[in-house]
Amino acid sequence: MSSPSTNTGPNYGTEPFEGNGARENLPTSAPAGRSNFRTSVIHLDRPGDPSVFGEQVRRDAAELISRYPVGQSRSALLPLLHLVQSEQGYVSPDGIAFCADVLDITKAQVAAVATFYTMYKRKPTGDYLVSVCTNTLCGVLGGDEIFAALKDELGVGNNETTADGTITLEHAECLAACDYAPVVTVNYEFFDNQTVESASGIVGQLRNGERPLPTRGAPLCTFKQIERQIAGIFDEGTLAPDSLSSGVPTEAGVKLAIERGHTAPSYSLDGSPEPGRTEPATAEPKKRAPRKAAKGATAKSTPADQPTSQHDAPLTTSASDDANDAKPAGEEAQ
């Protein structure tokens, strides 16, 4: 009997387990036989040393923590992880220990967050993080070919960095720019409508020490610099200038709506006219048909005085609407 196929599509660098490295037999820090085994790349074998971060980083951390209410300092963990990443280029054991130290939480709690989000890198990242969108639309329009070509050109796999430390290549599940597909980002700045040739040109410029201008957004800075900005520390010397992040494809729908006089529907809770309307809003919204009672129960004839869709917001509920005391679905017969 033949073995089932293990081909799940394009090779993004997640090679199968090798040899006898079954997952349950591997320690936390083991590479697991493949380069993109995400739960194994933060090495927790050593405790980490928070003292490697200087006084300036501690002052920055204190500033970030002060932005949250007293007693909720652990909410600052996400920006703090970006802060330590801006210092070391990834979330190291030292960074985990530092975050745990300043927030007075355990390293396990920090690691649980750091290993959940792909934006926190688990090994050193190059000066430029090149992300190729390979989600559905970008993938079928050329994203898969672009990623494969850049892998060959750079001689690296997914989440791997060139030997000179310049470029880290990764494939992204979505870069939220379907209207410009296929897209590539460099340190999260967009390069739209890419081809294999144009993406190769961008990478070539980066390797030559140049900084190509993104299609939209701010001029490029290094990965560590952009991480500092994402953390919320805005240094005037390295702060990316304000720039447009939208373009003609993004605004096409708005333009058509204006030309055709289309507006989005809205509801008024108090019955007052909506802004811009010349006629008062209808005091009595369209009523829904009464809900059928459960079998064997007495039917109620109190339809909810609500718009047609119960999922449209803002709406009152049975808990806040004295005129409609309907119970949640399934509880009428109780």
Side-chain angles (χ1 to χ4, degrees):
M1 182 176 177
S2 61
S3 301
S5 171
T6 58
N7 181 17
T8 57
N11 178 9
Y12 297 131
T14 53
E15 288 74 19
F17 291 105
E18 297 172 357
N20 136 16
R23 186 185 305 234
E24 61 271 16
N25 298 328
L26 293 170
T28 303
S29 63
R34 59 183 185 180
S35 60
N36 191 30
F37 185 39
R38 290 175 175 168
T39 60
S40 68
V41 288
I42 281 188
H43 298 281
L44 299 179
D45 293 342
R46 67 182 182 88
D49 181 9
S51 68
V52 303
F53 297 96
E55 286 304 313
Q56 182 59 53
V57 179
R58 289 191 172 270
R59 286 193 291 270
D60 291 338
E63 161 64 19
L64 293 174
I65 294 171
S66 71
R67 299 175 186 178
Y68 295 85
V70 175
Q72 298 182 32
S73 61
R74 66 184 299 170
S75 297
L77 178 55
L78 296 182
L80 284 176
L81 286 168
H82 283 294
L83 177 64
V84 297
Q85 193 159 250
S86 75
E87 292 292 312
Q88 296 184 321
Y90 73 117
V91 178
S92 69
D94 299 329
I96 290 175
F98 177 81
C99 292
D101 182 40
V102 297
L103 294 177
D104 194 25
I105 58 179
T106 68
K107 288 182 288 186
Q109 289 172 313
V110 177
V113 173
T115 55
F116 182 82
Y117 296 102
T118 58
M119 59 190 178
Y120 300 122
K121 306 307 177 185
R122 293 87 190 265
K123 51 186 177 181
T125 304
D127 294 331
Y128 300 101
L129 175 65
V130 176
S131 309
V132 182
C133 184
T134 56
N135 211 330
T136 306
L137 189 56
C138 283
V140 299
L141 291 178
D144 289 335
E145 288 76 12
I146 291 172
F147 182 75
L150 294 186
K151 282 178 61 180
D152 291 340
E153 181 173 340
L154 297 172
V156 298
N158 185 48
N159 287 334
E160 292 183 353
T161 303
T162 55
D164 60 3
T166 302
I167 295 175
T168 296
L169 179 67
E170 68 173 6
H171 80 88
E173 286 303 321
C174 183
L175 293 177
C178 299
D179 39 353
Y180 299 98
V183 294
V184 172
T185 62
V186 178
N187 292 344
Y188 308 116
E189 300 295 349
F190 284 100
F191 291 83
D192 302 324
N193 304 118
Q194 291 299 296
T195 63
V196 169
E197 291 73 22
S198 63
S200 177
I202 292 168
V203 166
Q205 288 181 273
L206 294 174
R207 300 187 80 180
N208 290 332
E210 304 172 45
R211 294 186 179 182
L213 190 66
T215 309
R216 295 174 290 128
L220 293 181
C221 60
T222 66
F223 178 75
K224 289 182 178 180
Q225 288 173 331
I226 198 63
E227 280 298 297
R228 189 166 173 81
Q229 293 183 43
I230 294 173
I233 303 297
F234 303 123
D235 303 314
E236 291 297 329
T238 59
L239 184 63
D242 291 334
S243 54
L244 294 176
S245 59
S246 64
V248 174
T250 304
E251 300 168 358
V254 176
K255 181 180 178 181
L256 287 174
I258 294 174
E259 291 175 351
R260 299 174 182 180
H262 293 172
T263 58
S266 60
Y267 299 105
S268 174
L269 291 179
D270 58 5
S272 59
E274 296 296 330
R277 291 182 62 152
T278 56
E279 297 179 2
T282 304
E284 288 292 329
K286 183 179 179 180
K287 296 183 178 181
R288 293 181 294 178
R291 183 186 295 154
K292 290 185 178 180
K295 185 176 181 181
T298 303
K300 285 181 149 184
S301 57
T302 55
D305 189 16
Q306 298 287 353
T308 303
S309 173
Q310 60 181 335
H311 301 294
D312 290 336
L315 296 176
T316 52
T317 68
S318 60
S320 60
D321 185 4
D322 294 334
N324 299 281
D325 59 351
K327 294 181 180 181
E331 294 186 8
E332 294 91 339
Q334 297 180 11

